[in-house]
């Protein structure tokens, strides 16, 4: 009858405390019953209260044994009464084995307390003459004990299963959190080399033009950018103001490469917006994507715009660049928008990133809750 719902453990060390517990419970019940019997015979009986208590205890020894036995069985097999079929079989077995023996024991106690001498014939006679009410009373005690133990056993089993379910839920949530953190780290690991690669491309373009001072200036700016990227990458969130400063520094580096062709406008960067938080390195991939699909695709001037707007409890961030119908395609590696979308979803399930073409421009829009960094 061993089940996988709960582990079994040795039964013998629990015998003494279990019997003591049930003896104490039944002693309290017998004390109340004996008090009632004593009051019924006040002025008539020659025996005191102790005599009635002794008789009640003697009559209920089988109940103490039954309760203790069921408790020990439950400690060994916690799911003993979990099945209705098994419970019915146990009840039927007690009904046809324990109950007749209990009636016989009660008859023996009747003969013993009458003081007429204990003989098998006298016990059998008392057994046959036992009133139906007494039989029903013993039947009720047995049934009540079984029902009570079954209820206690199933309650304990339910608590064990609930605790196991909660542990499993906590373990599952911890595993999901660990996986999400690893996924975020993997995205960051993809993002940072990608950013470094593109920044180095900008400097290499300056080196190829043999403009030494500009190249050195670019290396110094790249050092500042990398310092922020490494520091921000170790944090869960940064302020939008910090990200904007990083964008300005990044654009300064790119301006060394594109010169007067780089036109960039920032709108709506209010104090409330700047104090909001966001995932680190959120804006730079969007700016880089706009540069790649705008200035890298033609030889003319660019027109990239970054705007912020408040919409209730959300902040809207839009980055747009013109679409050149005859420009040379520059698809890039495809990491920027994809990584940004996944990092937003990982940091906040309510955040979203949408892209669309509007009036000859490519628009990236981020919506996320505005929270103070």
């Amino acid at each position: 009858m061993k089940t996988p719902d709960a582990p079994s453990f040795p039964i013998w060390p629990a015998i003494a405390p279990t019997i003591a517990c049930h003896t104490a419970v039944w002693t309290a019940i017998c004390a109340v019953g004996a008090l009632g019997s004593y009051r019924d015979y006040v002025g008539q009986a020659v025996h005191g209260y102790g005599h009635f208590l002794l008789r009640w205890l003697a009559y209920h020894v089988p109940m103490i044994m039954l309760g203790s036995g069921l408790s020990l069985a439950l400690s060994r097999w916690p799911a003993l009464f979990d099945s209705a079929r098994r419970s019915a079989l146990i009840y039927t077995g007690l009904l046809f084995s324990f109950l007749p023996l209990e009636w016989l024991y009660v008859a023996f106690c009747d003969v013993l307390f009458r003081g007429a001498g204990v003989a098998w014939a006298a016990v059998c006679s008392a057994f046959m003459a036992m009133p139906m009410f007494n039989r029903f009373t013993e039947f009720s005690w047995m049934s009540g004990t079984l029902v009570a133990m079954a209820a206690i056993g199933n309650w304990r089993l339910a608590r064990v299963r609930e605790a196991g379910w909660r542990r499993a839920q906590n373990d599952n949530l911890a595993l999901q959190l660990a996986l999400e953190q690893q996924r975020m780290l993997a995205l960051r690991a993809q993002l940072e080399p990608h950013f470094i690669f593109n920044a180095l491309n900008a400097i290499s373009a300056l080196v190829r033009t043999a403009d030494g001072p500009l190249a050195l200036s670019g290396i110094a700016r790249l050092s500042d950018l990398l310092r922020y990227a490494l520091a921000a990458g170790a944090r869960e969130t940064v302020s939008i103001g910090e990200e904007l400063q990083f964008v300005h520094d990044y654009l300064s580096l790119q301006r060394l490469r594109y010169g007067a062709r780089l036109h960039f406008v920032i709108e709506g960067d209010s104090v409330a917006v700047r104090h909001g938080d966001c995932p680190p390195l959120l804006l730079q991939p969007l700016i880089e994507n706009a540069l790649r699909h705008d200035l890298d695709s033609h030889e003319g001037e660019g027109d990239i715009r970054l705007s912020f707007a408040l919409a209730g409890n959300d902040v809207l961030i839009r980055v747009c660049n013109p679409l050149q119908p005859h420009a040379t395609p520059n698809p890039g590696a495809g990491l920027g928008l994809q990584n940004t979308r996944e990092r937003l979803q990982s940091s906040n399930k309510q955040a979203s990133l949408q892209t669309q073409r509007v009036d000859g421009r490519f628009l990236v829009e981020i919506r996320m809750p505005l929270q103070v960094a």
Side-chain angles (χ1 to χ4, degrees):
M1 201 175 293
K2 187 174 179 179
T3 69
D5 297 316
S8 61
F9 49 87
I11 190 173
W12 299 111
I15 289 181
T18 299
I19 294 177
C21 178
H22 283 271
T23 300
V25 171
W26 279 104
T27 298
I29 295 174
C30 291
V32 176
L35 182 61
S37 298
Y38 174 70
R39 288 179 175 177
D40 290 340
Y41 289 93
V42 170
Q44 305 176 29
V46 294
H47 302 293
Y49 172 75
H51 173 80
F52 289 99
L53 177 60
L54 180 62
R55 292 190 65 167
W56 270 77
L57 286 172
Y59 282 130
H60 290 89
V61 167
M63 291 295 105
I64 296 175
M65 296 173 60
L66 177 63
S68 299
L70 291 175
S71 290
L72 292 171
L74 281 171
S75 68
R76 181 67 177 177
W77 301 290
L80 183 64
F81 295 105
D82 191 35
S83 166
R85 180 175 177 273
R86 191 185 304 124
S87 299
L89 288 175
I90 295 173
Y91 182 75
T92 302
L94 292 176
L95 195 64
F96 288 99
S97 60
F98 175 82
L99 189 59
L101 291 175
E102 184 188 15
W103 287 340
L104 188 62
Y105 173 80
V106 170
F108 170 81
C109 290
D110 284 339
V111 172
L112 182 64
F113 281 105
R114 282 203 302 265
V118 178
W120 177 249
V123 172
C124 290
S125 177
F127 176 80
M128 299 303 297
M130 183 181 297
M132 187 59 66
F133 176 78
N134 290 0
R135 294 179 186 271
F136 179 76
T137 300
E138 299 304 324
F139 165 77
S140 300
W141 282 120
M142 184 206 74
S143 301
T145 300
L146 181 65
V147 170
M149 295 310 303
I152 292 174
N154 286 335
W155 173 73
R156 289 171 55 189
L157 183 61
R159 290 191 61 187
V160 170
R161 287 177 173 172
E162 181 181 3
W165 179 80
R166 290 186 182 277
R167 284 195 300 272
Q169 287 290 100
N170 291 337
D171 292 344
N172 187 42
L173 289 176
L175 178 60
Q176 289 182 0
L177 178 59
L179 291 175
E180 197 66 23
Q181 289 175 339
Q182 291 299 319
R183 180 168 170 266
M184 181 66 74
L185 291 175
L187 289 173
R188 289 180 182 175
Q190 284 182 337
L191 176 63
E192 290 171 9
H194 187 244
F195 155 70
I196 294 171
F197 175 78
N198 283 279
L200 288 175
N201 272 348
I203 296 176
S204 66
L206 297 176
V207 172
R208 285 194 298 269
T209 64
D211 194 335
L214 277 180
L216 290 175
S217 175
I219 292 173
R221 293 179 186 276
L222 175 60
S223 177
D224 294 337
L225 293 174
L226 292 179
R227 190 177 295 111
Y228 173 82
L230 292 174
R235 296 161 58 184
E236 293 297 327
T237 61
V238 296
S239 69
I240 294 178
E242 290 176 290
E243 282 292 290
L244 274 173
Q245 183 58 50
F246 180 67
V247 167
H248 282 294
D249 294 340
Y250 178 74
L251 289 173
S252 297
L253 174 62
Q254 296 297 336
R255 191 166 281 111
L256 296 178
R257 176 185 178 187
Y258 294 110
R261 295 177 58 215
L262 177 56
H263 285 223
F264 194 90
V265 177
I266 299 178
E267 300 174 336
D269 53 332
S270 63
V271 174
V273 169
R274 285 177 170 269
H275 281 81
D277 66 357
C278 66
L281 304 177
L282 175 68
L283 300 179
Q284 183 271 335
L286 305 182
I287 306 304
E288 182 182 309
N289 183 75
L291 290 172
R292 185 171 62 246
H293 290 280
D294 184 10
L295 292 177
D296 287 353
S297 298
H298 62 90
E299 297 298 328
E301 293 184 352
D303 180 19
I304 301 174
R305 301 174 189 174
L306 170 63
S307 66
F308 300 88
L310 296 177
N313 296 325
D314 294 341
V315 59
L316 301 180
I317 304 175
R318 297 185 179 95
V319 178
C320 66
N321 59 272
L323 292 171
Q324 304 294 334
H326 304 295
T328 303
N330 188 356
L335 293 174
L337 295 180
Q338 177 185 347
N339 278 7
T340 303
R341 182 179 288 110
E342 292 181 4
R343 292 174 63 230
L344 274 173
Q345 285 294 302
S346 297
S347 63
N348 193 315
K349 297 299 182 184
Q350 298 178 0
S352 63
L353 184 150
Q354 304 292 334
T355 62
Q356 56 181 319
R357 298 169 184 265
V358 180
D359 298 330
R361 301 181 69 86
F362 183 77
L363 172 65
V364 179
E365 180 178 273
I366 291 177
R367 174 185 286 266
M368 62 182 183
L370 180 64
Q371 299 174 342
V372 176

